[in-house]
Amino acid sequence: MFEKVLVANRGEIAVRVMVACEELGIETVAVYSDADRDAGHVEYADEAYNIGPAPASESYLDQAEIVDVAERAGADAIHPGYGFLAENAEFACRIESTDGITWVGPPSDAMETLGEKTKARTVMQESGIPVVPGTTEPVDDAEEVRELGDEFGYPIAIKAEGGGGGRGMKIVRSEAEVEDALESAQREGEAYFGNDSVYVEKYLEAPKHIEVQVIADQHGNVRHLGERDCSLQRRHQKVIEEAPSSALDAELRTEIGEAARQGVREAGYTNAGTVEFLLEDGEFYFMEVNTRIQVEHTVSEEVTGIDIVRWQFRVAAGEELGFAQDDVKINEHAIEYRINAENPAADFAPTPGQLTTYRPPASIGVRLDHAVAQGDEIGGDYDSMIGKLIVSGDDREHCLERSKRALEHFAVEGVHTTIPFHRLMLADEIFVAGEHTTKYLDRELDDDALEAAVDRWGPAEATGGDGTQSETAEVTVEVNGRRFGVVIEDGVPQTTAGNADGGTASGGGPGADATPEVATADAVTAEMQGTILSVAVEPGDEVADDDVVCVLEAMKMENDVVAASGGTVESVPITEGDSVDMGDTLVTLE
Ligand code: MV4
């Protein structure tokens, strides 16, 4: 096994990789940019090296610098995580040809083949795997594209050869659109991937996105760890992923899993990878291979109990996979919620700022992969994901119930997050029924519902996004021995839920909306509608703070109404038996 690994990444995935190292007895080396001096992955590592300024192109993408650090630190392997250099075949090749350092990933030539989409399609088609109808050769002529449109029927997709993640993909709905779409797909391919070569596929209107996790060793063993359903995407960004998919039955699961195994075996692939498929009307079609560990690998780990990152190291070190395909059992249901510092009510715009409160949930069925802590500054230099909440249960329904609990207890203040969006999804009929396709969010996301969700479940104060910032203070009060948290906003008392330090995650539970009686300095007002049971003071009385001025029955409880501060009673506009409304004055003080 390796002795010291350099992790060429940041954030939660860098920590996830170091966790595996730690358990394998491997020392860890972090690299970081100027923006990440105090980052979680730096703190976690045994040693750390600054590799340059904040822009990724000058730090996390600086191949020569990273290799140089690996040599200086005496690392014998490099793990790239996801993003940055993870799918860069040139970088992988560079590591492969560096003496004494092993690339913890697939062979660079397999990465190169599968990274070029028409080559990947050819390999899959030749090994008998269904691919989306289309070309296995690049096309560059509009007339040729129109002929393909006639052959497959519109709509068709023109995709960049180097593409992925929706970049460089153009949907063509009629012959008349071909010319422009071809040009712009070529232009985008050149701009994003330095490759203007494009190919054509039949476009499926509303497929499910199903991907199969595979792991292969250097002895010819390939296993699949079941599928993930990543259909819930917003503008090609995954937001919630789960395993297994409710769209597959046992037979289709075996079929798609075997297809994925066969495909990567044919490609001479080793290490962890993901084979992406589109699923429509019970038919699956190969789309592309991701030659890296993915963000959502966690849900496969949860349902199979197999530590994929640990196996990445073991197979990279030449070990044989220690389990047969039949040993892989899907025992649970798991859902991953990406926690991004974004404002769902402002088109999911990133909201950098300070995490003034960060209290993630815990207990049974909950896993947190993150690299942030309360007080951290969330910068704007990298992607906005601050962590992942992964929830497991016996089945999907159980997992959804747990998810509600876990998200309700995820307290974040200071920045907006995607938590309100997730809570909205847990109340969404189509998502809860598992009927959503890749088209669902982009078609159905309701701005008003998002705004209401952020109002209800978002931070009390946050930077960016909506521009509203108010001063608040929290106090704890006891009313008849029952504890209430009260948020004082701009001098106006507002209550939160029963939990005194409830944060944003408060709400729900019996009595959560009960409003205790809290008096302001010079007037005691009713904080809820109810009946006066007794009056304890009359004009001229001296009262101290916390003295009871009257008893109000509301919500089947007797509530002592107390003065917030001392003074002389000026007037008592109520008597026993009166019915009062919220906001009515009960007692005034001088
Ligand atoms: C498609 C498709 C339908 N038909 N290809 C989007 C990202 C890129 N990796 C491929 N994508 C798609 N390719 C054909 N022939 C629909 C999508 C697609 C999609 C795929 C997966 C998850 C979400 C998606 C959202 C919109 C479109």
Side-chain angles (χ1 to χ4, degrees):
M1 187 42 69
F2 308 111
E3 288 182 1
K4 193 189 262 193
V5 167
L6 181 145
V7 183
N9 215 299
R10 62 181 303 283
E12 68 85 20
I13 193 61
V15 171
R16 169 70 188 91
V17 170
M18 292 179 203
V19 163
C21 290
E22 202 176 5
E23 292 177 7
L24 285 163
I26 303 171
E27 283 183 72
T28 54
V29 180
V31 292
Y32 63 94
S33 73
D34 291 347
D36 275 343
R37 286 200 176 91
D38 300 315
H41 75 284
V42 176
E43 201 168 318
Y44 202 96
D46 295 314
E47 51 190 285
Y49 295 80
N50 185 316
I51 51 166
S57 59
E58 297 172 53
S59 48
Y60 295 107
L61 292 171
D62 187 339
Q63 302 185 23
E65 180 67 17
I66 290 168
V67 174
D68 187 54
V69 165
E71 287 181 324
R72 273 160 55 205
D76 52 5
I78 294 182
H79 192 303
Y82 54 69
F84 296 125
L85 293 167
E87 294 194 83
N88 189 314
E90 178 200 322
F91 183 62
C93 184
R94 190 172 186 147
I95 308 303
E96 285 167 347
S97 52
T98 303
D99 272 349
I101 303 182
T102 301
W103 168 247
V104 184
S108 61
D109 51 356
M111 288 172 68
E112 197 170 332
T113 305
L114 296 171
E116 217 154 300
K117 308 302 170 193
T118 54
K119 284 192 192 157
R121 282 168 61 77
T122 304
V123 171
M124 295 300 154
Q125 201 164 35
E126 283 175 359
S127 53
I129 293 158
V131 302
V132 186
T135 65
T136 46
E137 293 293 330
V139 293
D140 62 1
D141 175 56
E143 184 49 36
E144 204 184 334
V145 176
R146 280 190 288 267
E147 279 165 24
L148 291 162
D150 285 341
E151 187 184 338
F152 304 131
Y154 290 93
I156 56 173
I158 306 179
K159 295 185 172 186
E161 178 79 282
R167 284 170 151 190
M169 175 172 92
K170 294 290 149 197
I171 301 158
V172 185
R173 303 209 167 265
S174 71
E175 205 178 279
E177 295 172 17
V178 165
E179 206 115 10
D180 287 351
L182 178 62
E183 254 176 58
S184 67
Q186 288 171 328
R187 208 177 328 107
E188 284 186 22
E190 181 62 42
Y192 293 133
F193 317 107
N195 181 353
D196 70 359
S197 178
V198 300
Y199 65 105
V200 172
E201 285 179 357
K202 164 102 190 116
Y203 185 72
L204 310 179
E205 286 284 7
K208 283 234 174 211
H209 173 116
I210 306 293
E211 55 182 39
V212 178
Q213 176 70 53
V214 294
I215 178 110
D217 65 21
Q218 297 175 38
H219 307 275
N221 301 301
V222 185
R223 308 284 179 255
H224 78 81
L225 306 185
E227 81 287 358
R228 297 184 285 259
D229 191 323
C230 306
S231 299
L232 205 75
Q233 304 201 5
R234 191 183 162 273
R235 302 195 188 155
H236 302 300
Q237 295 297 311
K238 293 172 185 165
V239 283
I240 296 178
E241 305 99 336
E242 63 183 296
S245 169
S246 36
L248 301 187
D249 57 18
E251 195 182 336
L252 203 51
R253 176 163 301 117
T254 304
E255 215 182 308
I256 202 169
E258 289 307 317
R261 284 178 85 189
Q262 180 61 23
V264 301
R265 197 180 281 122
E266 250 1 88
Y269 196 90
T270 62
N271 217 282
T274 299
V275 186
E276 291 188 356
F277 296 91
L278 296 176
L279 177 80
E280 199 174 67
D281 302 326
E283 303 281 333
F284 63 84
Y285 307 93
F286 166 80
M287 194 165 54
E288 55 192 71
V289 179
N290 297 316
T291 58
R292 60 172 191 274
I293 189 79
Q294 284 188 281
V295 176
E296 62 272 23
H297 75 278
T298 57
V299 292
S300 303
E301 292 185 325
E302 292 307 305
V303 300
T304 61
I306 293 170
D307 182 335
I308 300 168
V309 180
R310 182 180 178 89
W311 277 111
Q312 283 194 289
F313 283 111
R314 294 183 68 177
V315 299
E319 287 184 38
E320 219 173 315
L321 283 167
F323 54 92
Q325 188 59 55
D326 281 348
D327 296 335
V328 180
K329 298 270 190 279
I330 313 294
N331 293 318
E332 284 188 84
H333 197 95
I335 305 184
E336 174 178 277
Y337 302 89
R338 296 193 187 198
I339 311 300
N340 299 343
E342 296 172 357
N343 184 354
D347 212 21
F348 290 80
T351 63
Q354 197 193 12
L355 267 185
T356 53
T357 298
Y358 184 73
R359 266 180 301 117
S363 198
I364 189 165
V366 170
R367 165 175 171 181
L368 253 298
D369 277 26
H370 58 177
V372 297
Q374 183 159 305
D376 280 3
E377 203 60 51
I378 307 302
D381 292 297
Y382 310 106
D383 84 61
S384 56
M385 195 176 76
I386 58 173
K388 310 181 302 205
L389 167 68
I390 304 104
V391 181
S392 318
D394 298 337
D395 52 30
R396 193 166 191 269
E397 197 185 345
H398 186 211
C399 185
L400 291 172
E401 286 164 357
R402 269 201 183 144
S403 300
K404 276 191 192 165
R405 181 264 294 177
L407 284 160
E408 188 179 314
H409 289 272
F410 205 144
V412 178
E413 293 287 339
V415 299
H416 281 281
T417 71
T418 40
I419 292 169
F421 165 81
H422 295 315
R423 295 183 70 176
L424 185 64
M425 283 301 113
L426 290 176
D428 183 274
E429 258 176 57
I430 301 288
F431 175 70
V432 169
E435 288 167 1
H436 55 287
T437 69
T438 50
K439 280 288 167 287
Y440 184 59
L441 282 187
D442 291 333
R443 239 180 238 166
E444 307 292 339
L445 211 51
D446 178 339
D447 285 346
D448 292 338
L450 278 175
E451 210 161 297
V454 172
D455 274 352
R456 184 164 174 203
W457 296 314
E461 43 180 321
T463 56
D466 59 5
T468 55
Q469 267 213 34
S470 54
E471 289 297 316
T472 61
E474 283 190 36
V475 294
T476 303
V477 297
E478 289 178 359
V479 181
N480 279 357
R482 181 173 172 188
R483 194 174 168 89
F484 292 89
V486 180
V487 175
I488 314 285
E489 195 168 331
D490 295 330
V492 182
Q494 285 196 355
T495 56
T496 62
N499 183 353
D501 57 4
T504 51
S506 62
D513 294 322
T515 309
E517 296 303 293
V518 175
T520 53
D522 52 3
V524 184
T525 58
E527 282 293 319
M528 63 182 119
Q529 190 268 324
T531 307
I532 302 297
L533 284 183
S534 64
V535 181
V537 295
E538 51 185 56
D541 283 358
E542 290 293 324
V543 295
D545 53 355
D546 277 345
D547 280 359
V548 175
V549 295
C550 67
V551 180
L552 177 69
E553 187 197 59
M555 302 180 75
K556 299 195 175 83
M557 279 177 58
E558 291 184 23
N559 299 294
D560 286 352
V561 180
V562 300
S565 62
T568 307
V569 175
E570 186 188 57
S571 69
V572 185
I574 46 147
T575 55
E576 210 174 290
D578 276 357
S579 165
V580 294
D581 282 331
M582 187 164 84
D584 283 358
T585 297
L586 307 175
V587 171
T588 62
L589 302 172
E590 282 170 10

